[in-house]
Amino acid sequence: QVQLVESGGGLVQAGGSLRLSCAASGSIFRIDVMRWYRQAPGKQRELVAAINSGGSLNYADSVKGRFTISGDNAKNTVYLQMNSLKPEDTAVYYCNADIVRAGWGRLDYWGQGTQVTVSS
């Protein structure tokens, strides 16, 4: 079994910052990619940022220059530092990962989500 557990969400004023964490645990052979998605009420889930095992980064245009994704391979953890937050960043943020398990191959896993609310 593999679990992704997010933390760090909350309520913040516009212009403020939050740091999200997502820790993967369980029978993990290798993590290939870790991503952050978000879903606002009435909207489709969208990719916010991604980091792969080689350190390549990818960001949605809407968060470039404000959000930073980083990873700690030793802890199987990914972080999302969110600065200059805007009300339109309000959403449930989900951690997602492509994880290789011995005998199972590469599978897709999701966390339970953490609420981020930015007040104006």
Side-chain angles (χ1 to χ4, degrees), residues 38 46-49 58-66 86:
R38 67 186 181 187
E46 62 173 350
L47 178 64
V48 176
N58 186 35
Y59 295 97
D61 288 342
S62 59
V63 307
K64 283 180 181 176
R66 301 187 298 120
K86 304 175 181 179

Side-chain angles (χ1 to χ4, degrees), residues 35-49:
R35 309 173 184 90
W36 287 99
Y37 283 82
R38 67 186 181 187
Q39 187 166 21
K43 294 189 176 182
Q44 289 189 332
R45 192 171 295 189
E46 62 173 350
L47 178 64
V48 176

Side-chain angles (χ1 to χ4, degrees), residues 103-119:
W104 289 86
R106 189 168 74 176
L107 299 174
D108 185 56
Y109 293 91
W110 289 87
Q112 80 284 359
T114 186
Q115 177 70 45
V116 171
T117 302
V118 184
S119 63

Side-chain angles (χ1 to χ4, degrees), residues 1-5 22-36 50-56 69-79 95-102 105-110:
Q1 284 282 20
V2 170
Q3 282 189 320
L4 301 181
V5 179
C22 171
S25 62
S27 56
I28 296 170
F29 176 72
R30 187 181 74 240
I31 298 177
D32 287 344
V33 186
M34 296 192 82
R35 309 173 184 90
W36 287 99
I51 181 170
N52 68 15
S53 56
S56 295
I69 189 171
S70 61
D72 185 333
N73 291 337
K75 296 182 179 180
N76 286 337
T77 298
V78 66
Y79 306 96
C95 179
N96 167 261
D98 294 347
I99 295 175
V100 177
R101 296 175 60 194
R106 189 168 74 176
L107 299 174
D108 185 56
Y109 293 91
W110 289 87

